[in-house]
């Protein structure tokens, strides 16, 4: 597929750490959105945010997407993945390394920070998973 797909990712925890969930929404030109959300058990919000990114990248790869734009409302994850911040927390390091390895599977990737109000569907899916879990 030559067109760019967008992936909105979100992770949340109620308490930090606390019950956590992740969600992502993949939008592809001319096709229905592909959505997923699941609970993670007890985790921090940053672990949930990284998990959302990784699961979204896995799904994009499974769908055969090559050109993607990822949107996340986690400034920390976006800045770490883009190389602006170092990954200091030991719980995040393996997730960061997994995300970096997965990014190499795509021909082009842009990861952009957005405000929460521009990430409404992924945020809603996360909350629905937490409410149901």
């Amino acid at each position: 597929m030559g067109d760019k797909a967008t992936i909105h990712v979100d992770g949340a925890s109620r308490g930090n750490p606390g019950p956590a969930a992740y969600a992502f929404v993949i939008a592809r030109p001319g096709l229905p959105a592909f959505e997923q959300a699941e609970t993670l058990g007890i985790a921090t919000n940053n672990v949930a945010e990284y998990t959302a990114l990784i699961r979204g990248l896995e799904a994009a790869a499974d769908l055969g997407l090559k050109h993607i734009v990822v949107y996340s409302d986690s400034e920390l994850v976006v800045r770490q993945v883009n190389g602006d911040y170092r990954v200091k927390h030991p719980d995040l390091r393996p997730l960061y390394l997994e995300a970096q390895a997965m990014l190499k599977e795509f021909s082009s990737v842009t990861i952009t920070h957005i405000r929460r109000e521009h990430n409404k569907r992924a945020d809603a899916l996360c909350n629905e998973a937490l409410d149901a879990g």
Side-chain angles (χ1 to χ4, degrees):
M1 172 185 275
D3 295 322
K4 282 191 178 178
T6 61
I7 309 172
H8 283 77
V9 300
D10 195 27
S13 67
R14 293 188 176 154
N16 201 25
Y22 75 88
F24 64 82
V25 178
I26 299 175
R28 302 161 291 168
L31 295 169
F34 181 84
E35 302 178 337
Q36 182 175 321
E38 290 186 19
T39 57
L40 296 171
I42 303 298
T44 66
N45 64 315
N46 290 328
V47 166
E49 294 280 4
Y50 262 108
T51 302
L53 173 62
I54 291 165
R55 296 294 177 260
L57 293 173
E58 286 173 347
D62 289 348
L63 291 169
L65 303 176
K66 293 295 179 191
H67 305 279
I68 59 172
V69 179
V70 179
Y71 296 102
S72 171
D73 58 21
S74 172
E75 184 175 1
L76 178 79
V77 170
V78 170
R79 288 185 177 256
Q80 285 179 341
V81 171
N82 285 333
D84 300 325
Y85 289 172
R86 288 184 311 150
V87 182
K88 297 177 185 175
H89 199 284
D91 290 348
L92 299 183
R93 187 96 184 130
L95 296 169
Y96 164 81
L97 292 172
E98 185 176 355
Q100 288 296 329
M102 294 187 73
L103 291 171
K104 294 175 182 166
E105 295 184 29
F106 300 94
S107 300
S108 68
V109 180
T110 304
I111 300 179
T112 302
H113 177 254
I114 57 173
R115 294 170 56 124
R116 175 180 267 173
E117 60 264 24
H118 299 294
N119 208 20
K120 286 182 179 176
R121 181 63 185 151
D123 182 67
L125 288 169
C126 239
N127 282 307
E128 287 172 17
L130 284 169
D131 290 343

